[in-house]
Amino acid sequence: MTTRRGARPYRLTRRQMIGSGVAGGAALAMLGGSGRLPGLTLNHAAAQEQTALRFWVPPGSPLYCEVQQEIAADYAALDQSIRFEEVQCLPGETDDYFQAILAAIAAGNPPDGMVIWDTPVSLGARDALVAIDDLMAASEHSQVEKWPEGLLASCQYEGQTYGLPVTAGLYGLWYNPNLLEEKGIPSGRESLPKTWQELRDLSKEFTVWDGDRLVSAGFVPNNGDFGAFELPIWSALNGGQLYDAANQTYTIDSETNIEMMDFMVSWIDEEYKGDIALVRSSAGWGGYVTEDGLPPAFQAGNQAMLQQGSWLMGDFAAEVEPVFDNWNIGDHPVGPSGESSVSGFWPNWMAIPAGAANPEAVFGYMDYMSAVGVEKWFNAIPDIPTNADAPAVLPQGVVESRGEEFAQEIMAFWDTQAEMSTAMWTSPVQGFANDRLGQAVERILTKAAAPAEELAAAQADCQAELESLLGDQG
Amino acid sequence: MATMAMRRTAVSPLRRQESRAGLIFILPWLVSLLVFTTYPVLATFYLSFTEYNILQPPSWIGLENYQTIFTEDPAFWKAVRNSAVYALVSVPLKLVIAFGLAMLLNMGVRGIGVYRTVFYLPTLVPPIAATIIFLLLFSPAGGPINSILGWLGIRGPDWFNDPNWAMPALIVLGVWPLGVETLAFLAGLKEIPQDLLDAAAVDGAQGWQRLRHVILPLISPVILFNLVIGVIYSFQVFTQALVIGGFNGEPLESTLMFLVLIYRNAFRYFSMGYAAALSVILFLAVLALTLLIFRSSRAWVHYEGGQR
């Protein structure tokens, strides 16, 4: 049921945030004493007439937790009819948080609202969330048309909406303009490869081996650590999909997906000695220090391009000192069977758990967060607001390092990516599927299985899990 | 009736008072046993026959979970295989090394107390910390193990990322904390009467013969204890496997241990009924193994006074 944001691949990319989240969450829990944060309780005299809200936030960094509390305090100051009894950033990792939520729902004592890093679809499908369509229709900022279609699809199941994708990390093709220029390629994003084949051809220009160590690379297929999170984007780039939400059917072993994996395997064979392990043991190819402590090749000027999320804007110089700062981002190239570029996303969803005491009151806060509170959120952590009413925001770090004009331009780029995002996170068995697909891709890349055979096995497993859930509901 | 009356009168008021006091004293433990052990065990058996996702009440599905486990879940057989390999290799290895260490610690050399402490220390290291230490030790990026292998001209593997090497590394990690086993052996060795060893020496028994015919038979009850405990624990490897391989037992399910499989189904997919069925299978398997060991012990465990 859960996704793996807090698990291995996520720690690779945003582990600093998660790592500090444990300490931060614990500190906040201590601050809160019995789980309540006195600093957030407003208007004590009028407390009896006010609706007391309890709001939970996943285990992020101390800064993330702090800003959530500030936004809640801002809202409570605006709306005198509510007060926040607690805004609790729970300790632990994402899976611990998820367990705490389910336990609270099962025990009949859930918070009124929460931020989740797991798709609302899988929770909604199990009656763990409140459907919010009526609340959205009557709201100021949260009507259906105020959200990018692809993003809102991650909250919709069987005609009902179970959450709001208030902010999102969006994926793009990050590149080092200096390296491209060294090869005589103009640094503008319009010069980037438009197809996978062009990407592969260009990538070869940068590949340098020293024995079995990959010293530099152009682009390593999915950063050498082909997790399942980005797979829907690559599938869509090749004209396919992994899960057909409308028909509640997995399509993992479709021809376009087999073609996709065949392409990746042949690329690794041709450019990377057919051994993904050698690639992985040479450097970090995802823009972050790896779990084994290998520094990121991109920031070291040894990798021309990589696929990564918008959160790298904030993290670009967080772990290592980059040798360049004029990074840029472009569209994903299109696969052999694809027609146009797409993007993908990883939202922070807000949702109301089943059994919440004050759904209307907390939805007011969610509505406020979507269009107003996100500005403060973004200023602290550059997760991109997705609601149409959200103010235009600029990442301060980028403004300081690259100037306002570039920051505006890059935010406009992310807006475009949000609009062209493919549907993701739409399966009610998303957690299971992510795990299974991750296994499948790993088996394919390490040559433990052939693409067609392994994708067929994954298809059978995911479909069986899905049908088991649907059968239970039926 | 007469017998009952006699029994009643046979228990003195003081005895009854003491019994009541004793009962009151053990009551907290008894309640705890019933609530936190007996009930969960019984609930596990019941839930194993249900579909249960925490949010909705469990629904009875009979043997479906068991059928799925044995016929449709390849991860189950993978976890069984991994756990069996782990147990088959780590338990004997641990017994041999712990026994060897105990023999060394039983020698009357100077500073023996320090050695005993040093060898016991790993047992006190929390599993998470130990695992992280081993991840660093085995790291392909400048880890000491691969550095030493490099000096010897050997290219060390990418231990925890290579499906062929992850399990051996996990076994080494499991064998590392053997303080408890060593202490048990040491206690057994201390109990061996010196005159028996002397008599064997007078009869011409050399070191190996004394070990084979005197020491091993006399400490065979300790071997049995360590073996049973070792087998039970070896099927309960969890923290180390989860930290190293995550929910999927990476790389390529090579570290997917049985308990990780249970945890994954229970707390990641929230298939509590399925996880309960896996738990029951594990319980029965460990029980069967333990009974088998006890049955076999009649042939190789020697108790003082000839009792077996």
Side-chain angles (χ1 to χ4, degrees), chain A residues 200-236:
Chain A
R200 189 162 155 175
D201 293 341
L202 175 61
S203 180
K204 267 188 224 168
E205 304 271 330
F206 299 94
T207 306
V208 177
W209 286 91
D210 176 13
D212 280 341
R213 193 172 76 85
L214 182 59
V215 177
S216 79
F219 182 91
V220 176
N222 220 55
N223 309 332
D225 191 28
F226 220 126
F229 306 102
E230 298 87 5
L231 206 57
I233 304 171
W234 290 93
S235 175

mmCIF file of all heavy atoms in Angstrom, chain A residues 200-236:
data_model
loop_
_atom_site.group_PDB
_atom_site.id
_atom_site.type_symbol
_atom_site.label_atom_id
_atom_site.label_comp_id
_atom_site.label_asym_id
_atom_site.label_seq_id
_atom_site.Cartn_x
_atom_site.Cartn_y
_atom_site.Cartn_z
ATOM 1 N N ARG A 200 21.329 8.941 -26.485
ATOM 2 C CA ARG A 200 22.315 7.856 -26.422
ATOM 3 C C ARG A 200 23.553 8.204 -27.251
ATOM 4 O O ARG A 200 24.689 7.994 -26.802
ATOM 5 C CB ARG A 200 21.639 6.587 -26.952
ATOM 6 C CG ARG A 200 22.412 5.334 -26.774
ATOM 7 C CD ARG A 200 21.444 4.168 -26.926
ATOM 8 N NE ARG A 200 22.123 2.961 -27.340
ATOM 9 C CZ ARG A 200 21.520 1.782 -27.444
ATOM 10 N NH1 ARG A 200 20.233 1.682 -27.168
ATOM 11 N NH2 ARG A 200 22.183 0.711 -27.812
ATOM 12 N N ASP A 201 23.306 8.763 -28.426
ATOM 13 C CA ASP A 201 24.432 9.131 -29.292
ATOM 14 C C ASP A 201 25.277 10.225 -28.644
ATOM 15 O O ASP A 201 26.505 10.176 -28.673
ATOM 16 C CB ASP A 201 23.920 9.595 -30.661
ATOM 17 C CG ASP A 201 23.268 8.456 -31.447
ATOM 18 O OD1 ASP A 201 23.529 7.287 -31.097
ATOM 19 O OD2 ASP A 201 22.472 8.737 -32.367
ATOM 20 N N LEU A 202 24.604 11.205 -28.070
ATOM 21 C CA LEU A 202 25.337 12.302 -27.434
ATOM 22 C C LEU A 202 26.069 11.796 -26.190
ATOM 23 O O LEU A 202 27.207 12.195 -25.912
ATOM 24 C CB LEU A 202 24.355 13.427 -27.052
ATOM 25 C CG LEU A 202 24.955 14.601 -26.279
ATOM 26 C CD1 LEU A 202 26.040 15.298 -27.103
ATOM 27 C CD2 LEU A 202 23.869 15.609 -25.895
ATOM 28 N N SER A 203 25.413 10.930 -25.470
ATOM 29 C CA SER A 203 25.990 10.422 -24.231
ATOM 30 C C SER A 203 27.353 9.780 -24.459
ATOM 31 O O SER A 203 28.280 9.944 -23.664
ATOM 32 C CB SER A 203 25.021 9.417 -23.606
ATOM 33 O OG SER A 203 25.538 8.908 -22.415
ATOM 34 N N LYS A 204 27.457 9.068 -25.575
ATOM 35 C CA LYS A 204 28.711 8.375 -25.895
ATOM 36 C C LYS A 204 29.914 9.320 -25.903
ATOM 37 O O LYS A 204 31.026 8.936 -25.581
ATOM 38 C CB LYS A 204 28.594 7.765 -27.305
ATOM 39 C CG LYS A 204 28.128 6.349 -27.338
ATOM 40 C CD LYS A 204 28.252 5.848 -28.759
ATOM 41 C CE LYS A 204 27.003 5.071 -29.111
ATOM 42 N NZ LYS A 204 26.894 4.770 -30.533
ATOM 43 N N GLU A 205 29.642 10.568 -26.291
ATOM 44 C CA GLU A 205 30.717 11.558 -26.407
ATOM 45 C C GLU A 205 31.427 11.781 -25.074
ATOM 46 O O GLU A 205 32.561 12.225 -25.027
ATOM 47 C CB GLU A 205 30.136 12.905 -26.875
ATOM 48 C CG GLU A 205 29.367 12.849 -28.173
ATOM 49 C CD GLU A 205 30.274 13.072 -29.366
ATOM 50 O OE1 GLU A 205 31.266 13.790 -29.206
ATOM 51 O OE2 GLU A 205 29.994 12.486 -30.424
ATOM 52 N N PHE A 206 30.730 11.499 -24.010
ATOM 53 C CA PHE A 206 31.279 11.835 -22.688
ATOM 54 C C PHE A 206 31.792 10.617 -21.925
ATOM 55 O O PHE A 206 32.329 10.751 -20.841
ATOM 56 C CB PHE A 206 30.199 12.525 -21.835
ATOM 57 C CG PHE A 206 29.696 13.804 -22.436
ATOM 58 C CD1 PHE A 206 28.561 13.826 -23.230
ATOM 59 C CD2 PHE A 206 30.375 14.996 -22.212
ATOM 60 C CE1 PHE A 206 28.096 15.000 -23.789
ATOM 61 C CE2 PHE A 206 29.920 16.182 -22.770
ATOM 62 C CZ PHE A 206 28.769 16.184 -23.562
ATOM 63 N N THR A 207 31.586 9.441 -22.489
ATOM 64 C CA THR A 207 31.924 8.232 -21.734
ATOM 65 C C THR A 207 33.431 8.011 -21.685
ATOM 66 O O THR A 207 34.084 7.887 -22.712
ATOM 67 C CB THR A 207 31.253 7.001 -22.381
ATOM 68 O OG1 THR A 207 29.865 7.268 -22.501
ATOM 69 C CG2 THR A 207 31.458 5.759 -21.529
ATOM 70 N N VAL A 208 33.936 7.982 -20.454
ATOM 71 C CA VAL A 208 35.368 7.704 -20.267
ATOM 72 C C VAL A 208 35.508 6.649 -19.180
ATOM 73 O O VAL A 208 34.975 6.804 -18.080
ATOM 74 C CB VAL A 208 36.139 8.983 -19.839
ATOM 75 C CG1 VAL A 208 37.609 8.644 -19.573
ATOM 76 C CG2 VAL A 208 36.022 10.070 -20.884
ATOM 77 N N TRP A 209 36.199 5.570 -19.525
ATOM 78 C CA TRP A 209 36.470 4.509 -18.552
ATOM 79 C C TRP A 209 37.939 4.537 -18.152
ATOM 80 O O TRP A 209 38.812 4.814 -18.972
ATOM 81 C CB TRP A 209 36.164 3.137 -19.154
ATOM 82 C CG TRP A 209 34.718 2.809 -19.306
ATOM 83 C CD1 TRP A 209 33.939 3.045 -20.403
ATOM 84 C CD2 TRP A 209 33.867 2.200 -18.329
ATOM 85 N NE1 TRP A 209 32.651 2.612 -20.170
ATOM 86 C CE2 TRP A 209 32.585 2.078 -18.903
ATOM 87 C CE3 TRP A 209 34.056 1.739 -17.030
ATOM 88 C CZ2 TRP A 209 31.499 1.525 -18.222
ATOM 89 C CZ3 TRP A 209 32.986 1.174 -16.352
ATOM 90 C CH2 TRP A 209 31.723 1.074 -16.939
ATOM 91 N N ASP A 210 38.178 4.225 -16.896
ATOM 92 C CA ASP A 210 39.541 3.977 -16.439
ATOM 93 C C ASP A 210 39.523 2.560 -15.866
ATOM 94 O O ASP A 210 39.172 2.358 -14.708
ATOM 95 C CB ASP A 210 39.933 5.001 -15.364
ATOM 96 C CG ASP A 210 41.309 4.711 -14.783
ATOM 97 O OD1 ASP A 210 42.041 3.895 -15.375
ATOM 98 O OD2 ASP A 210 41.653 5.289 -13.724
ATOM 99 N N GLY A 211 39.880 1.602 -16.705
ATOM 100 C CA GLY A 211 39.710 0.204 -16.298
ATOM 101 C C GLY A 211 38.230 -0.088 -16.135
ATOM 102 O O GLY A 211 37.443 0.107 -17.053
ATOM 103 N N ASP A 212 37.867 -0.520 -14.937
ATOM 104 C CA ASP A 212 36.454 -0.815 -14.678
ATOM 105 C C ASP A 212 35.751 0.333 -13.965
ATOM 106 O O ASP A 212 34.660 0.156 -13.415
ATOM 107 C CB ASP A 212 36.336 -2.095 -13.826
ATOM 108 C CG ASP A 212 36.498 -3.337 -14.680
ATOM 109 O OD1 ASP A 212 36.327 -3.227 -15.913
ATOM 110 O OD2 ASP A 212 36.814 -4.395 -14.121
ATOM 111 N N ARG A 213 36.397 1.476 -13.939
ATOM 112 C CA ARG A 213 35.759 2.627 -13.287
ATOM 113 C C ARG A 213 35.274 3.605 -14.353
ATOM 114 O O ARG A 213 36.046 4.014 -15.226
ATOM 115 C CB ARG A 213 36.740 3.330 -12.342
ATOM 116 C CG ARG A 213 36.074 4.326 -11.410
ATOM 117 C CD ARG A 213 37.069 4.824 -10.382
ATOM 118 N NE ARG A 213 37.998 5.803 -10.942
ATOM 119 C CZ ARG A 213 37.749 7.108 -11.039
ATOM 120 N NH1 ARG A 213 36.593 7.590 -10.596
ATOM 121 N NH2 ARG A 213 38.641 7.934 -11.547
ATOM 122 N N LEU A 214 34.022 3.939 -14.258
ATOM 123 C CA LEU A 214 33.441 4.908 -15.187
ATOM 124 C C LEU A 214 33.784 6.310 -14.673
ATOM 125 O O LEU A 214 33.254 6.761 -13.659
ATOM 126 C CB LEU A 214 31.921 4.717 -15.254
ATOM 127 C CG LEU A 214 31.162 5.621 -16.214
ATOM 128 C CD1 LEU A 214 31.642 5.457 -17.655
ATOM 129 C CD2 LEU A 214 29.657 5.344 -16.128
ATOM 130 N N VAL A 215 34.672 6.960 -15.369
ATOM 131 C CA VAL A 215 35.162 8.261 -14.905
ATOM 132 C C VAL A 215 34.167 9.358 -15.228
ATOM 133 O O VAL A 215 33.883 10.225 -14.396
ATOM 134 C CB VAL A 215 36.530 8.579 -15.557
ATOM 135 C CG1 VAL A 215 37.026 9.961 -15.140
ATOM 136 C CG2 VAL A 215 37.549 7.522 -15.184
ATOM 137 N N SER A 216 33.642 9.352 -16.437
ATOM 138 C CA SER A 216 32.643 10.366 -16.782
ATOM 139 C C SER A 216 31.639 9.760 -17.756
ATOM 140 O O SER A 216 31.923 8.771 -18.441
ATOM 141 C CB SER A 216 33.310 11.610 -17.386
ATOM 142 O OG SER A 216 33.642 11.385 -18.730
ATOM 143 N N ALA A 217 30.470 10.351 -17.757
ATOM 144 C CA ALA A 217 29.387 9.814 -18.589
ATOM 145 C C ALA A 217 28.530 10.957 -19.104
ATOM 146 O O ALA A 217 28.524 12.056 -18.532
ATOM 147 C CB ALA A 217 28.529 8.841 -17.778
ATOM 148 N N GLY A 218 27.840 10.669 -20.207
ATOM 149 C CA GLY A 218 26.893 11.654 -20.718
ATOM 150 C C GLY A 218 25.594 11.540 -19.954
ATOM 151 O O GLY A 218 25.203 12.431 -19.206
ATOM 152 N N PHE A 219 24.950 10.405 -20.113
ATOM 153 C CA PHE A 219 23.696 10.136 -19.403
ATOM 154 C C PHE A 219 23.679 8.656 -19.056
ATOM 155 O O PHE A 219 23.904 7.814 -19.910
ATOM 156 C CB PHE A 219 22.493 10.488 -20.292
ATOM 157 C CG PHE A 219 21.166 10.280 -19.625
ATOM 158 C CD1 PHE A 219 20.556 11.313 -18.922
ATOM 159 C CD2 PHE A 219 20.521 9.043 -19.680
ATOM 160 C CE1 PHE A 219 19.334 11.133 -18.301
ATOM 161 C CE2 PHE A 219 19.300 8.854 -19.061
ATOM 162 C CZ PHE A 219 18.705 9.893 -18.369
ATOM 163 N N VAL A 220 23.438 8.369 -17.813
ATOM 164 C CA VAL A 220 23.342 6.968 -17.389
ATOM 165 C C VAL A 220 21.860 6.638 -17.284
ATOM 166 O O VAL A 220 21.128 7.356 -16.586
ATOM 167 C CB VAL A 220 24.037 6.751 -16.026
ATOM 168 C CG1 VAL A 220 23.842 5.319 -15.553
ATOM 169 C CG2 VAL A 220 25.508 7.095 -16.132
ATOM 170 N N PRO A 221 21.402 5.595 -17.999
ATOM 171 C CA PRO A 221 19.963 5.298 -17.966
ATOM 172 C C PRO A 221 19.424 5.289 -16.536
ATOM 173 O O PRO A 221 19.885 4.520 -15.694
ATOM 174 C CB PRO A 221 19.881 3.909 -18.613
ATOM 175 C CG PRO A 221 21.043 3.879 -19.526
ATOM 176 C CD PRO A 221 22.133 4.664 -18.838
ATOM 177 N N ASN A 222 18.497 6.152 -16.322
ATOM 178 C CA ASN A 222 17.880 6.361 -15.019
ATOM 179 C C ASN A 222 18.863 6.389 -13.860
ATOM 180 O O ASN A 222 18.641 5.813 -12.812
ATOM 181 C CB ASN A 222 16.789 5.338 -14.753
ATOM 182 C CG ASN A 222 15.618 6.010 -14.068
ATOM 183 O OD1 ASN A 222 15.090 6.985 -14.565
ATOM 184 N ND2 ASN A 222 15.244 5.543 -12.915
ATOM 185 N N ASN A 223 19.934 7.092 -14.087
ATOM 186 C CA ASN A 223 20.945 7.342 -13.054
ATOM 187 C C ASN A 223 21.570 6.055 -12.522
ATOM 188 O O ASN A 223 22.099 6.038 -11.414
ATOM 189 C CB ASN A 223 20.357 8.150 -11.899
ATOM 190 C CG ASN A 223 19.643 9.405 -12.384
ATOM 191 O OD1 ASN A 223 19.994 9.932 -13.426
ATOM 192 N ND2 ASN A 223 18.658 9.858 -11.646
ATOM 193 N N GLY A 224 21.455 4.995 -13.288
ATOM 194 C CA GLY A 224 22.085 3.747 -12.894
ATOM 195 C C GLY A 224 21.362 3.025 -11.774
ATOM 196 O O GLY A 224 21.745 1.952 -11.366
ATOM 197 N N ASP A 225 20.311 3.610 -11.279
ATOM 198 C CA ASP A 225 19.605 3.012 -10.147
ATOM 199 C C ASP A 225 18.122 2.980 -10.481
ATOM 200 O O ASP A 225 17.319 3.648 -9.861
ATOM 201 C CB ASP A 225 19.860 3.843 -8.889
ATOM 202 C CG ASP A 225 19.366 3.119 -7.652
ATOM 203 O OD1 ASP A 225 19.346 1.884 -7.677
ATOM 204 O OD2 ASP A 225 18.984 3.789 -6.682
ATOM 205 N N PHE A 226 17.793 2.192 -11.485
ATOM 206 C CA PHE A 226 16.485 2.255 -12.104
ATOM 207 C C PHE A 226 15.377 1.876 -11.139
ATOM 208 O O PHE A 226 14.916 0.754 -11.104
ATOM 209 C CB PHE A 226 16.461 1.315 -13.318
ATOM 210 C CG PHE A 226 15.737 1.872 -14.493
ATOM 211 C CD1 PHE A 226 16.346 1.938 -15.723
ATOM 212 C CD2 PHE A 226 14.450 2.335 -14.359
ATOM 213 C CE1 PHE A 226 15.682 2.449 -16.826
ATOM 214 C CE2 PHE A 226 13.773 2.845 -15.454
ATOM 215 C CZ PHE A 226 14.398 2.904 -16.685
ATOM 216 N N GLY A 227 14.983 2.821 -10.318
ATOM 217 C CA GLY A 227 13.877 2.562 -9.408
ATOM 218 C C GLY A 227 12.561 2.603 -10.148
ATOM 219 O O GLY A 227 12.502 2.866 -11.349
ATOM 220 N N ALA A 228 11.516 2.330 -9.432
ATOM 221 C CA ALA A 228 10.207 2.254 -10.073
ATOM 222 C C ALA A 228 9.519 3.609 -10.154
ATOM 223 O O ALA A 228 8.576 3.780 -10.906
ATOM 224 C CB ALA A 228 9.325 1.287 -9.298
ATOM 225 N N PHE A 229 10.006 4.581 -9.390
ATOM 226 C CA PHE A 229 9.283 5.848 -9.300
ATOM 227 C C PHE A 229 9.230 6.593 -10.623
ATOM 228 O O PHE A 229 8.238 7.193 -10.976
ATOM 229 C CB PHE A 229 9.929 6.745 -8.242
ATOM 230 C CG PHE A 229 10.061 6.072 -6.924
ATOM 231 C CD1 PHE A 229 11.260 5.559 -6.513
ATOM 232 C CD2 PHE A 229 8.959 5.919 -6.109
ATOM 233 C CE1 PHE A 229 11.369 4.909 -5.310
ATOM 234 C CE2 PHE A 229 9.053 5.273 -4.911
ATOM 235 C CZ PHE A 229 10.264 4.756 -4.507
ATOM 236 N N GLU A 230 10.341 6.567 -11.325
ATOM 237 C CA GLU A 230 10.412 7.325 -12.574
ATOM 238 C C GLU A 230 9.956 6.501 -13.776
ATOM 239 O O GLU A 230 9.849 7.024 -14.876
ATOM 240 C CB GLU A 230 11.843 7.828 -12.811
ATOM 241 C CG GLU A 230 12.358 8.777 -11.752
ATOM 242 C CD GLU A 230 12.993 8.046 -10.573
ATOM 243 O OE1 GLU A 230 13.115 6.813 -10.648
ATOM 244 O OE2 GLU A 230 13.338 8.706 -9.577
ATOM 245 N N LEU A 231 9.719 5.224 -13.557
ATOM 246 C CA LEU A 231 9.402 4.342 -14.672
ATOM 247 C C LEU A 231 8.156 4.775 -15.462
ATOM 248 O O LEU A 231 8.146 4.676 -16.699
ATOM 249 C CB LEU A 231 9.241 2.903 -14.176
ATOM 250 C CG LEU A 231 9.515 1.810 -15.200
ATOM 251 C CD1 LEU A 231 10.911 1.922 -15.771
ATOM 252 C CD2 LEU A 231 9.305 0.439 -14.582
ATOM 253 N N PRO A 232 7.106 5.267 -14.789
ATOM 254 C CA PRO A 232 5.940 5.707 -15.575
ATOM 255 C C PRO A 232 6.284 6.819 -16.566
ATOM 256 O O PRO A 232 5.689 6.899 -17.648
ATOM 257 C CB PRO A 232 4.964 6.221 -14.516
ATOM 258 C CG PRO A 232 5.365 5.540 -13.262
ATOM 259 C CD PRO A 232 6.851 5.368 -13.349
ATOM 260 N N ILE A 233 7.268 7.657 -16.208
ATOM 261 C CA ILE A 233 7.654 8.745 -17.119
ATOM 262 C C ILE A 233 8.304 8.154 -18.370
ATOM 263 O O ILE A 233 7.950 8.506 -19.497
ATOM 264 C CB ILE A 233 8.639 9.711 -16.428
ATOM 265 C CG1 ILE A 233 8.033 10.256 -15.133
ATOM 266 C CG2 ILE A 233 9.023 10.853 -17.370
ATOM 267 C CD1 ILE A 233 9.025 11.038 -14.279
ATOM 268 N N TRP A 234 9.241 7.221 -18.155
ATOM 269 C CA TRP A 234 9.933 6.613 -19.295
ATOM 270 C C TRP A 234 8.967 5.815 -20.157
ATOM 271 O O TRP A 234 9.072 5.808 -21.382
ATOM 272 C CB TRP A 234 11.085 5.733 -18.800
ATOM 273 C CG TRP A 234 12.168 6.579 -18.232
ATOM 274 C CD1 TRP A 234 12.336 6.942 -16.922
ATOM 275 C CD2 TRP A 234 13.200 7.263 -18.962
ATOM 276 N NE1 TRP A 234 13.420 7.786 -16.789
ATOM 277 C CE2 TRP A 234 13.968 7.995 -18.019
ATOM 278 C CE3 TRP A 234 13.554 7.313 -20.295
ATOM 279 C CZ2 TRP A 234 15.063 8.776 -18.396
ATOM 280 C CZ3 TRP A 234 14.646 8.087 -20.673
ATOM 281 C CH2 TRP A 234 15.386 8.802 -19.733
ATOM 282 N N SER A 235 8.033 5.162 -19.485
ATOM 283 C CA SER A 235 7.037 4.398 -20.243
ATOM 284 C C SER A 235 6.208 5.336 -21.112
ATOM 285 O O SER A 235 5.971 5.067 -22.297
ATOM 286 C CB SER A 235 6.140 3.634 -19.260
ATOM 287 O OG SER A 235 5.111 2.984 -19.944
ATOM 288 N N ALA A 236 5.783 6.460 -20.524
ATOM 289 C CA ALA A 236 4.967 7.427 -21.277
ATOM 290 C C ALA A 236 5.779 8.071 -22.394
ATOM 291 O O ALA A 236 5.247 8.367 -23.470
ATOM 292 C CB ALA A 236 4.424 8.487 -20.327
#
